[in-house]
Amino acid sequence: MYDPLALHDEIRDLARERDAVILAHNYQCGEVQDVADFVGDSLGLSRQAAETSAQTIVFAGVHFMAETAKILSPHKTVLLPEPRAGCPMADMMTAKELTLWRDDNLGVPVVTYVNSSADVKALSDVCVTSANAVAVVRSIGADRILFGPDRNLGSWVARALPEVEVMLWDGFCPTHQRVTPEQIAEARKRHPEAKVMAHPECRPDVVDLADAVLSTSQMLHYAVDSSADEFIVVTEEGLLHALAKAAPGKRFLNLSPVMLCPNMKLTTLETILDVLRDGTNEVVVSDDVRDRALAAVQGMVSIG
Ligand code: CIZ
Ligand code: SF4
């Protein structure tokens, strides 16, 4: 019989035995977040991966996140509990496509969202997360950049930095792209007192209607610091669990059931236990790709 409490204890015992740290993304389901040593966004978890003294990293997230951890910690074993957990946005820009785009725009810096493959990172000048995209692009000081794969985050950067010409790749997150301005207007009508927090992966016409445009880590801080008691959360629903823990007593409303990433939900307590016990699903990045991607990833981790 499925017994989450027993599984939780078994995972914690095995993690200790195997000298493993469990990192879980804010979009993981509640019981996976609760078994992790650290819960966070790509930026925070990348930093944990770089700093941990544990020999093994179990990454409860999607493939590009585990790859990023491996790039930062090549001598550690990085295990991805569910090997099918990918990111459709990351798949929207291949290394071949980026090579052609870069060759058509020689000399223009390539700024890449962390939601991308290691091969794509290896072709990039610098990577960003949603928490530091604006700060990283500002720090480059270029008047023109190529930005991919997320056209929505790129548009958000362009609006924040009107002095920079941001050339956009046409990728998007299917989960965030589904949100419409009508849904926001409807939610506001039902909850006129609530603050709307939207992720920059949402469409620009959705972002326009938000009180605050924030990464998941920024949403957690905003909710804790705000004098408001009620929030409409416009990002993947896993964050609601983290929000409820960070700000107990406040009310967090899920915009709609469409805010679910099926890939993030593939990881379960059982798959975590399996990889810890068997050491399976190790993430590998070739030395050549790692050597070329490292500077871009380190640039991301060092800013913001
Ligand atoms: O950067 C991340 O972890 C993602 C994908 C979302 C966010 O805003 O935290
Ligand atoms: Fe990719 Fe969107 Fe899922 Fe994040 S929520 S992993 S961007 S598909």
Side-chain angles (χ1 to χ4, degrees):
M1 203 190 67
Y2 178 70
D3 179 351
L5 286 179
L7 275 170
H8 178 111
D9 292 347
E10 216 178 320
I11 288 169
R12 291 309 324 164
D13 288 346
L14 207 50
R16 209 168 305 117
E17 247 172 64
R18 300 278 203 258
D19 188 22
V21 66
I22 302 173
L23 307 181
H25 191 267
N26 285 326
Y27 294 161
Q28 292 288 299
C29 63
E31 56 199 31
V32 169
Q33 294 189 27
D34 291 344
V35 87
D37 294 282
F38 299 100
V39 182
D41 63 356
S42 297
L43 187 60
L45 296 178
S46 297
R47 287 180 176 145
Q48 292 292 348
E51 287 165 13
T52 182
S53 59
Q55 192 37 52
T56 295
I57 297 168
V58 175
F59 210 117
V62 293
H63 188 255
F64 75 80
M65 297 178 176
E67 263 186 347
T68 307
K70 185 68 184 176
I71 290 167
L72 286 164
S73 289
H75 304 301
K76 307 253 157 79
T77 303
V78 178
L79 305 176
L80 183 65
E82 171 49 69
R84 291 172 305 158
C87 169
M89 180 205 280
D91 295 340
M92 288 179 193
M93 187 165 76
T94 65
K96 209 165 160 188
E97 289 168 328
L98 178 54
T99 303
L100 293 174
W101 197 34
R102 199 179 62 162
D103 290 351
D104 282 346
N105 295 279
L106 274 185
V108 181
V110 177
V111 180
T112 301
Y113 193 18
V114 67
N115 298 33
S116 53
S117 68
D119 288 342
V120 161
K121 290 183 175 75
L123 294 164
S124 306
D125 292 286
V126 70
C127 294
V128 303
T129 69
S130 45
N132 70 3
V134 173
V136 171
V137 173
R138 189 186 290 120
S139 77
I140 301 171
D143 50 14
R144 215 167 157 218
I145 60 164
L146 301 181
F147 189 98
D150 187 9
R151 66 180 185 226
N152 291 334
L153 180 63
S155 301
W156 174 244
V157 170
R159 284 212 269 170
L161 301 172
E163 68 279 16
V164 185
E165 184 191 345
V166 181
M167 298 168 71
L168 299 173
W169 191 257
D170 197 19
F172 58 89
C173 163
T175 302
H176 287 83
Q177 184 70 21
R178 276 197 291 268
V179 180
T180 63
E182 291 74 25
Q183 287 173 313
I184 306 282
E186 182 57 34
R188 269 207 196 278
K189 234 190 274 167
R190 277 185 276 122
H191 306 281
E193 303 295 322
K195 293 278 183 211
V196 175
M197 307 189 288
H199 196 276
E201 286 175 20
C202 296
R203 290 161 33 174
D205 55 357
V206 166
V207 157
D208 275 345
L209 299 178
D211 292 301
V213 182
L214 304 164
S215 72
T216 59
S217 56
Q218 290 165 342
M219 285 185 192
L220 286 159
H221 288 122
Y222 180 86
V224 169
D225 294 343
S226 168
S227 58
D229 290 326
E230 200 177 31
F231 302 84
I232 295 163
V233 182
V234 192
T235 194
E236 212 279 345
E237 59 92 45
L239 186 68
L240 292 163
H241 183 80
L243 282 165
K245 276 174 115 171
K250 297 201 176 190
R251 268 179 25 103
F252 298 102
L253 308 160
N254 192 4
L255 180 76
S256 90
V258 300
M259 297 300 298
L260 194 121
C261 172
N263 285 281
M264 282 286 179
K265 298 305 192 275
L266 288 172
T267 304
T268 61
L269 293 179
E270 283 112 324
T271 56
I272 292 175
L273 185 66
D274 287 347
V275 295
L276 265 175
R277 191 185 47 228
D278 304 332
T280 39
N281 304 345
E282 184 172 350
V283 172
V284 182
V285 177
S286 74
D287 289 344
D288 164 55
V289 169
R290 186 211 173 231
D291 288 347
R292 290 185 291 120
L294 183 61
V297 174
Q298 279 174 334
M300 167 187 97
V301 175
S302 68
I303 293 175

